[in-house]
Amino acid sequence: MTHSVASRRQFLKTSAAAAAGLAVAPAFVPSTAFGANERIVTGHIGLGGQGRGNLGKFIKNAVAICDVDSKHAEQAAKTVKDKAGTECEIYGDYRKILDRKDIDAVVISTPDHWHALPTIEACQAGKDVYCEKPLTLTVVEGRKIVEAARANKRIVQTGSQQRSASNFRKACELVRSGYLGKLQTVLVGIPGPNHPGKPIPDSDPPAELDYDFWLGQAPLRPYNKNRVHYNFRFFWDYSGGQMTNWGAHHIDIAHWGMGMDDSGPISVDGKATFHPEHWHDVTETCRITYVYPNDVTMILGQKEKDIPQGTTFIGEKGQIFVNRGQFKATPGEIGEIKLTDSDVHLYDSSDHHKNFLDCIKSRELPICDAEIGHRTATACHLGNISCRLGRKIAWDAKSETISGDDEAAGMLSRPYRAPWELT
């Protein structure tokens, strides 16, 4: 673990030199010696809505497509053919992509319960990984991903792309540089669930879907259209609702601004409401109070009128609200401040997907490395655990354990359905 800690500290440096890209020796060894113009070859696992969006960013790199829904796979392969003029091999089993020696990296855009195993196995196969957020379904999975990335010297970029937008970086740099004075509170606002509505009867899965493979390690349940594809987000078996959907974005920025990328809260106290007719599992509304070791309180609100969607930093001298396409400082002069060389300058990326490709060549850690993605997902999972149990939990970020509550501690991992195993 010495190498892992050293790499993380090196990555989190915020000096002007680091901001200018003057990194020290690369931490990882590439599987291929890339020339300046050499194409990085990618395989894509999961080609639903987000997967097709990610494919568009790597359209000239893609050579292989994998999806358990053959219609998704065929549509994605056609897109590559139409836009890049190249053919993609189509697979129904992601392990066949990992077996290919010509593929340098994989892009994983599966439902959340299918993030950990392909990411870990890709690292073990010598592939670099771009994996969608939230990085994991459970806390234990996240630490396993980080360990696999470090042990196999792989680049793992989490798809928390807000870090690569200038307004978010500006907000966090101003906060970290002390222009709000002592940071006191961070507000995180997320929307309510957008589940399709009333339950519908179970049915046979469509012919194009390998439903057993789609379930994977999740519990065996009858097929239901309202639980698969986009709707996986609203059931604990596969995801964590808007907490892990939007919360993973806005908590990520909160952690960046607080300087908590390699740490976490010391306590989490959540209260939530759930659908009265159980149309889905996840929270309808929630209010969660996180206390951090730097005496900062983060309050996450779902459909809370006093918490706007996005991230709000509140300090002694003012506040900054930031969301996609939005930046508002109060008082306004704070937003006009120009950073000096002695201020905090954070990792500067203007293109999240390009940053991943650049890091594959340079072997520098990406802007949202696996450790960062894991810590953000952990905060999401802890919030959901507290809400589901309806009580406060104590968290030790160093040991990654919940103390004094065996039931809550047991929710940091989940059993895998055979034959799948998390090792």
Side-chain angles (χ1 to χ4, degrees):
M1 291 301 291
T2 302
H3 174 80
S4 172
V5 172
S7 298
R8 187 161 68 251
R9 287 175 180 165
Q10 179 186 97
F11 168 69
L12 294 171
K13 285 173 64 180
T14 55
S15 66
L22 304 179
V24 294
F28 304 128
V29 178
S31 56
T32 304
F34 294 103
N37 298 313
E38 188 169 355
R39 181 177 73 143
I40 294 167
V41 178
T42 60
H44 294 254
I45 303 169
L47 279 304
Q50 190 63 32
R52 291 191 294 273
N54 285 332
L55 177 64
K57 303 294 185 178
F58 299 102
I59 199 76
K60 295 182 179 180
N61 306 88
V63 300
I65 298 294
C66 176
D67 200 295
V68 294
D69 187 315
S70 62
K71 286 188 176 180
H72 286 181
E74 290 163 6
Q75 181 182 356
K78 183 178 185 300
T79 297
V80 176
K81 177 67 173 177
D82 292 344
K83 295 186 176 181
T86 54
E87 300 284 351
C88 275
E89 194 76 23
I90 294 177
Y91 301 99
D93 186 331
Y94 71 91
R95 292 167 294 191
K96 293 183 178 179
I97 284 184
L98 303 186
D99 287 341
R100 285 184 51 165
K101 303 302 182 185
D102 61 322
I103 291 177
D104 305 303
V106 295
V107 180
I108 298 171
S109 309
T110 55
D112 302 350
H113 69 295
W114 264 118
H115 285 179
L117 286 181
T119 297
I120 292 167
E121 292 170 18
C123 290
Q124 293 168 343
K127 317 294 185 191
D128 296 316
V129 181
Y130 184 107
C131 183
E132 263 308 322
K133 60 85 218 162
L135 190 60
T136 58
L137 183 68
T138 69
V139 173
V140 169
E141 286 181 341
R143 181 49 57 198
K144 293 284 188 180
I145 286 176
V146 176
E147 290 171 353
R150 300 297 185 256
N152 296 282
K153 298 179 171 58
R154 293 297 95 202
I155 300 297
V156 177
Q157 172 85 299
T158 311
S160 298
Q161 74 271 18
Q162 290 183 167
R163 288 205 177 213
S164 293
S166 61
N167 60 326
F168 291 102
R169 184 178 67 255
K170 177 182 177 180
C172 293
E173 287 176 335
L174 288 169
V175 173
R176 297 274 290 270
S177 296
Y179 288 107
L180 293 184
K182 167 106 174 48
L183 184 62
Q184 299 169 325
T185 306
V186 182
L187 305 179
V188 171
I190 62 173
N194 55 329
H195 186 263
K198 292 183 179 181
I200 60 175
D202 297 335
S203 66
D204 291 332
E208 67 270 13
L209 178 66
D210 184 342
Y211 178 60
D212 186 69
F213 211 143
W214 186 93
L215 284 173
Q217 50 93 353
L220 181 63
R221 298 187 188 277
Y223 172 82
N224 190 290
K225 185 178 179 180
N226 276 8
R227 294 177 66 95
V228 301
H229 294 335
Y230 183 87
N231 299 323
F232 78 85
R233 290 168 173 81
F234 309 110
F235 298 92
W236 298 129
D237 285 351
Y238 325 117
S239 187
Q242 296 292 27
M243 172 68 78
T244 51
N245 189 24
W246 279 104
H249 282 303
H250 299 323
I251 290 175
D252 184 63
I253 297 303
H255 277 188
W256 206 18
M258 286 191 283
M260 287 288 144
D261 277 348
D262 60 350
S263 185
I266 57 177
S267 68
V268 182
D269 190 3
K271 299 293 184 291
T273 65
F274 298 87
H275 196 281
E277 297 178 48
H278 307 290
W279 289 2
H280 49 257
D281 298 341
V282 300
T283 60
E284 284 278 306
T285 67
C286 69
R287 191 177 186 96
I288 307 170
T289 300
Y290 297 80
V291 177
Y292 284 80
N294 55 358
D295 295 324
V296 175
T297 297
M298 181 175 76
I299 302 173
L300 182 143
Q302 181 178 25
K303 294 174 65 177
E304 295 279 291
K305 292 181 179 179
D306 61 332
I307 301 180
Q309 290 184 33
T311 306
T312 306
F313 298 98
I314 302 172
E316 296 171 316
K317 299 179 180 179
Q319 64 183 52
I320 295 173
F321 167 76
V322 65
N323 200 353
R324 295 185 185 183
Q326 300 179 66
F327 177 98
K328 182 181 180 180
T330 306
E333 305 85 74
I334 292 175
E336 303 302 318
I337 292 172
K338 304 298 182 185
L339 297 180
T340 67
D341 288 349
S342 61
D343 284 324
V344 172
H345 293 260
L346 298 172
Y347 197 132
D348 188 351
S349 162
S350 60
D351 186 320
H352 209 64
H353 299 84
K354 183 177 183 297
N355 175 250
F356 174 58
L357 295 176
D358 289 345
C359 289
I360 290 176
K361 292 188 176 184
S362 71
R363 309 315 290 173
E364 297 173 13
L365 290 172
I367 191 168
C368 201
D369 169 60
E371 178 74 33
I372 296 171
H374 163 54
R375 294 291 184 170
T376 296
T378 293
C380 296
H381 299 324
L382 293 175
N384 272 334
I385 290 171
S386 180
C387 284
R388 293 176 71 181
L389 295 176
R391 59 180 178 262
K392 184 177 180 178
I393 57 177
W395 176 247
D396 185 323
K398 184 175 180 179
S399 63
E400 297 187 313
T401 55
I402 292 173
S403 59
D405 191 328
D406 290 344
E407 184 180 13
M411 297 170 74
L412 297 175
S413 64
R414 302 186 192 183
Y416 272 33
R417 183 170 68 101
W420 305 104
E421 292 183 275
L422 182 68
T423 58

Coordinates of all heavy atoms in Angstrom, one line a residue, residues 169-184 257 313-320 327 329-345:
R169 N -14.3 23.6 -11.3 CA -13.0 23.8 -10.8 C -12.8 25.2 -10.2 O -12.2 25.3 -9.1 CB -12.0 23.6 -11.9 CG -10.5 23.6 -11.5 CD -9.5 23.4 -12.6 NE -9.5 24.5 -13.6 CZ -10.1 24.4 -14.8 NH1 -10.7 23.3 -15.1 NH2 -10.0 25.4 -15.6
K170 N -13.3 26.2 -10.8 CA -13.2 27.6 -10.3 C -13.8 27.7 -8.9 O -13.2 28.2 -8.0 CB -13.9 28.5 -11.2 CG -13.9 30.0 -10.7 CD -14.7 30.9 -11.7 CE -14.8 32.3 -11.2 NZ -15.5 33.2 -12.1
A171 N -15.0 27.1 -8.7 CA -15.6 27.1 -7.4 C -14.8 26.5 -6.3 O -14.5 27.0 -5.2 CB -17.0 26.5 -7.5
C172 N -14.2 25.3 -6.6 CA -13.4 24.6 -5.7 C -12.1 25.3 -5.4 O -11.6 25.2 -4.2 CB -13.2 23.1 -6.2 SG -14.7 22.1 -6.2
E173 N -11.5 25.9 -6.4 CA -10.3 26.6 -6.2 C -10.5 27.8 -5.3 O -9.6 28.1 -4.4 CB -9.6 27.0 -7.5 CG -9.1 25.8 -8.3 CD -8.5 26.2 -9.7 OE1 -9.0 27.2 -10.2 OE2 -7.6 25.5 -10.2
L174 N -11.5 28.5 -5.5 CA -11.8 29.7 -4.6 C -12.1 29.2 -3.2 O -11.6 29.9 -2.2 CB -13.0 30.4 -5.2 CG -12.8 31.2 -6.5 CD1 -14.1 31.7 -7.0 CD2 -11.8 32.4 -6.3
V175 N -12.8 28.1 -3.0 CA -13.1 27.6 -1.7 C -11.8 27.2 -1.0 O -11.5 27.5 0.1 CB -14.1 26.5 -1.7 CG1 -14.2 25.8 -0.3 CG2 -15.5 27.0 -2.2
R176 N -11.0 26.4 -1.7 CA -9.8 25.8 -1.2 C -8.7 26.9 -0.9 O -7.9 26.7 -0.1 CB -9.2 24.7 -2.1 CG -10.1 23.5 -2.4 CD -9.9 22.5 -1.3 NE -8.6 21.8 -1.5 CZ -8.4 20.7 -2.2 NH1 -9.4 20.2 -2.9 NH2 -7.2 20.2 -2.3
S177 N -8.8 28.0 -1.6 CA -7.9 29.1 -1.5 C -8.3 30.0 -0.3 O -7.6 31.0 0.0 CB -7.7 29.9 -2.8 OG -7.1 29.1 -3.8
G178 N -9.4 29.8 0.3 CA -9.8 30.5 1.5 C -10.6 31.8 1.2 O -10.8 32.6 2.1
Y179 N -11.1 32.0 0.0 CA -11.8 33.2 -0.3 C -13.2 33.3 0.3 O -13.8 34.4 0.3 CB -11.8 33.5 -1.8 CG -10.5 33.8 -2.4 CD1 -9.7 32.9 -3.1 CD2 -9.9 35.1 -2.1 CE1 -8.5 33.3 -3.6 CE2 -8.7 35.4 -2.6 CZ -7.9 34.5 -3.3 OH -6.7 34.9 -3.7
L180 N -13.7 32.2 0.8 CA -15.0 32.2 1.5 C -14.7 32.3 3.0 O -15.6 32.3 3.8 CB -15.8 31.0 1.3 CG -16.4 30.8 -0.1 CD1 -17.3 29.6 -0.2 CD2 -17.2 32.0 -0.6
G181 N -13.4 32.4 3.4 CA -13.1 32.3 4.8 C -13.2 30.9 5.2 O -13.1 30.0 4.4
K182 N -13.4 30.6 6.5 CA -13.5 29.2 7.0 C -14.8 28.6 6.4 O -15.9 29.2 6.5 CB -13.6 29.2 8.5 CG -14.0 27.9 9.1 CD -12.9 27.2 9.7 CE -13.3 25.9 10.4 NZ -14.2 25.0 9.7
L183 N -14.6 27.5 5.7 CA -15.8 26.8 5.2 C -16.6 26.2 6.3 O -16.0 25.5 7.2 CB -15.3 25.7 4.2 CG -16.4 24.9 3.5 CD1 -17.2 25.9 2.6 CD2 -15.8 23.8 2.7
Q184 N -17.9 26.4 6.3 CA -18.7 26.0 7.4 C -19.7 24.9 7.0 O -19.8 23.8 7.7 CB -19.5 27.1 8.0 CG -18.6 28.3 8.5 CD -19.4 29.5 8.8 OE1 -20.4 29.9 8.1 NE2 -19.0 30.2 9.8
G257 N -14.1 20.4 -3.2 CA -14.0 21.7 -2.6 C -13.6 21.7 -1.1 O -12.9 22.6 -0.6
F313 N -21.3 26.0 -1.5 CA -20.3 26.1 -0.4 C -20.6 27.4 0.4 O -20.7 28.5 -0.2 CB -18.9 26.2 -1.0 CG -18.5 25.0 -1.8 CD1 -18.6 25.0 -3.2 CD2 -18.0 23.9 -1.2 CE1 -18.2 23.9 -3.9 CE2 -17.6 22.8 -1.9 CZ -17.7 22.8 -3.3
I314 N -20.7 27.3 1.7 CA -21.0 28.4 2.6 C -19.9 28.6 3.6 O -19.5 27.7 4.3 CB -22.3 28.2 3.3 CG1 -23.5 27.9 2.3 CG2 -22.6 29.4 4.2 CD1 -24.8 27.5 3.0
G315 N -19.3 29.8 3.6 CA -18.2 30.1 4.5 C -18.5 31.4 5.2 O -19.6 32.0 5.1
E316 N -17.5 31.8 6.0 CA -17.7 33.0 6.9 C -17.9 34.3 6.0 O -18.6 35.2 6.5 CB -16.4 33.2 7.7 CG -16.2 32.1 8.7 CD -14.8 32.2 9.4 OE1 -13.8 32.5 8.7 OE2 -14.8 32.1 10.6
K317 N -17.3 34.3 4.8 CA -17.3 35.6 4.1 C -18.2 35.5 2.9 O -18.3 36.5 2.1 CB -15.9 35.8 3.5 CG -14.8 36.0 4.6 CD -13.5 36.3 4.0 CE -12.4 36.5 5.1 NZ -11.0 36.7 4.5
G318 N -19.0 34.4 2.7 CA -19.9 34.4 1.5 C -20.1 32.9 1.1 O -19.8 32.0 1.9
Q319 N -20.7 32.8 -0.1 CA -21.0 31.5 -0.5 C -20.9 31.4 -2.1 O -20.9 32.4 -2.8 CB -22.4 31.0 -0.1 CG -23.6 31.8 -0.7 CD -24.9 31.4 -0.1 OE1 -25.1 31.3 1.1 NE2 -25.8 31.1 -1.0
I320 N -20.7 30.1 -2.5 CA -20.7 29.9 -4.0 C -21.6 28.7 -4.3 O -21.5 27.7 -3.7 CB -19.2 29.5 -4.4 CG1 -18.3 30.7 -4.2 CG2 -19.2 29.1 -5.9 CD1 -16.8 30.4 -4.5
F327 N -22.9 29.2 -12.1 CA -21.9 29.6 -11.1 C -22.4 31.0 -10.5 O -22.6 31.9 -11.2 CB -20.5 29.8 -11.7 CG -19.5 30.3 -10.7 CD1 -18.6 29.4 -10.1 CD2 -19.4 31.6 -10.4 CE1 -17.7 29.8 -9.2 CE2 -18.4 32.1 -9.4 CZ -17.6 31.2 -8.8
A329 N -21.6 33.5 -7.1 CA -20.9 33.8 -5.9 C -21.7 35.0 -5.2 O -22.2 35.9 -5.8 CB -19.5 34.2 -6.1
T330 N -21.7 34.9 -3.8 CA -22.3 35.9 -3.0 C -21.4 36.3 -1.9 O -21.1 35.4 -1.1 CB -23.7 35.4 -2.4 OG1 -24.5 35.0 -3.5 CG2 -24.4 36.6 -1.7
P331 N -20.9 37.5 -1.8 CA -21.1 38.6 -2.7 C -20.4 38.3 -4.1 O -19.5 37.5 -4.2 CB -20.4 39.8 -2.0 CG -19.4 39.2 -1.1 CD -20.0 37.9 -0.7
G332 N -20.9 39.0 -5.1 CA -20.5 38.8 -6.5 C -19.0 39.0 -6.7 O -18.4 38.4 -7.6
E333 N -18.3 39.8 -5.9 CA -16.9 40.1 -6.1 C -16.0 38.9 -5.9 O -15.0 38.8 -6.5 CB -16.4 41.2 -5.1 CG -17.1 42.5 -5.1 CD -18.4 42.4 -4.2 OE1 -18.2 42.5 -2.9 OE2 -19.5 42.4 -4.8
I334 N -16.5 37.9 -5.1 CA -15.8 36.7 -4.9 C -15.6 35.9 -6.3 O -14.5 35.4 -6.5 CB -16.5 35.8 -3.9 CG1 -16.4 36.4 -2.5 CG2 -15.8 34.4 -3.9 CD1 -17.2 35.7 -1.5
G335 N -16.6 36.0 -7.1 CA -16.5 35.3 -8.4 C -15.6 36.0 -9.4 O -15.2 35.3 -10.4
E336 N -15.2 37.2 -9.1 CA -14.3 37.9 -10.0 C -12.8 37.8 -9.6 O -11.9 38.3 -10.3 CB -14.7 39.4 -10.0 CG -16.1 39.7 -10.4 CD -16.5 39.1 -11.8 OE1 -15.6 39.3 -12.7 OE2 -17.5 38.6 -12.0
I337 N -12.6 37.2 -8.5 CA -11.2 37.0 -8.0 C -10.3 36.2 -8.9 O -10.8 35.2 -9.4 CB -11.2 36.4 -6.6 CG1 -11.8 37.3 -5.6 CG2 -9.8 36.0 -6.2 CD1 -12.1 36.7 -4.2
K338 N -9.2 36.7 -9.2 CA -8.2 36.0 -10.0 C -7.2 35.3 -9.1 O -6.6 36.0 -8.2 CB -7.5 36.9 -11.0 CG -8.4 37.7 -11.9 CD -9.2 36.9 -12.8 CE -10.1 37.7 -13.8 NZ -10.9 36.8 -14.6
L339 N -7.0 34.0 -9.3 CA -6.1 33.3 -8.4 C -4.6 33.7 -8.6 O -4.2 34.1 -9.7 CB -6.2 31.8 -8.7 CG -7.6 31.1 -8.4 CD1 -7.5 29.7 -8.7 CD2 -8.0 31.3 -6.9
T340 N -3.9 33.7 -7.6 CA -2.5 34.1 -7.6 C -1.7 32.8 -7.6 O -2.2 31.7 -7.4 CB -2.0 34.9 -6.4 OG1 -2.2 34.1 -5.2 CG2 -2.9 36.2 -6.3
D341 N -0.4 32.9 -7.8 CA 0.5 31.7 -7.8 C 0.5 31.0 -6.5 O 0.7 29.7 -6.4 CB 1.9 32.0 -8.2 CG 2.1 32.4 -9.7 OD1 1.1 32.2 -10.4 OD2 3.1 33.0 -10.0
S342 N 0.2 31.7 -5.4 CA 0.2 31.1 -4.1 C -1.1 30.4 -3.7 O -1.2 29.8 -2.7 CB 0.6 32.1 -3.0 OG -0.3 33.2 -3.0
D343 N -2.1 30.6 -4.5 CA -3.4 30.0 -4.3 C -3.4 28.6 -4.6 O -2.5 28.1 -5.3 CB -4.5 30.8 -5.0 CG -4.9 32.1 -4.4 OD1 -4.9 32.2 -3.2 OD2 -5.2 33.1 -5.2
V344 N -4.5 27.9 -4.3 CA -4.7 26.5 -4.6 C -5.1 26.4 -6.1 O -6.1 26.9 -6.5 CB -5.7 25.8 -3.7 CG1 -6.0 24.4 -4.2 CG2 -5.2 25.8 -2.3
H345 N -4.3 25.6 -6.8 CA -4.7 25.3 -8.2 C -4.9 23.8 -8.4 O -4.0 23.0 -8.1 CB -3.5 25.8 -9.2 CG -3.3 27.3 -9.2 ND1 -3.8 28.1 -10.2 CD2 -2.7 28.1 -8.3 CE1 -3.5 29.3 -10.0 NE2 -2.8 29.4 -8.8

